[in-house]
Amino acid sequence: MGGFGPPAEISWTGAGHARGERRSFLSQQFTAATVTELRHAVAAHVAAAGLTGETAEDFVLAVHELVTNAVRHGGGAGHLHLRRQGDVLRCDVVDHGTAAHAPPIQLSDGDVTGGRGLWLADQLADSLSLSHRPDGMTATVTIRLSR
């Protein structure tokens, strides 16, 4: 399965961070069969970066929601890239879905099954951004390590 990897448009602004303090923790392709294994790997890398407690659990859950969305709505597979720059962890989840545009980040009605993953990721992380590409979507969450 080719074509998965960090999207070319990912770049660091460097604003407020020391130069050269970029560190990739995890870069991995995933499918439905590897979602649980990937969640454990993300949790281990987040802990190694120094994020602990409820904040770490929230960030791991936010990433997990993006991964499961990629599997369900983005073509069944994707690529995750977790990295650190300064005191910020950033996780990009890339898929090759066929959606015509980025979906809205909103809470679905209570009587609707599903539809809460993006909203939940947005609530649990410091930021969530969606980038529609001609060949899919990139969802990015960030969290500050120092609180």
Side-chain angles (χ1 to χ4, degrees), residues 61-73:
L61 180 54
V63 170
H64 180 76
E65 289 296 328
L66 299 181
V67 168
T68 57
N69 275 354
V71 169
R72 289 182 185 145
H73 309 292

Side-chain angles (χ1 to χ4, degrees), residues 110-134:
D111 59 347
V112 175
T113 302
R116 294 172 184 83
L118 291 177
W119 179 85
L120 185 58
D122 187 44
Q123 300 300 305
L124 296 172
D126 287 344
S127 71
L128 167 65
S129 64
L130 303 175
S131 174
H132 182 260
R133 305 178 327 275

Side-chain angles (χ1 to χ4, degrees), residues 1 4-5 28-32 34 38 67 70-71 74-81 92-96 137:
M1 182 178 307
F4 284 110
Q28 185 171 325
Q29 291 186 32
F30 60 85
T31 64
T34 61
L38 183 60
V67 168
V71 169
H79 186 273
L80 178 141
H81 191 169
D92 300 299
V93 176
V94 179
D95 70 43
H96 289 289
M137 184 83 55

Side-chain angles (χ1 to χ4, degrees), residues 34-48:
T34 61
V35 166
T36 300
E37 174 187 321
L38 183 60
R39 182 176 179 154
H40 294 298
V42 168
H45 285 87
V46 164

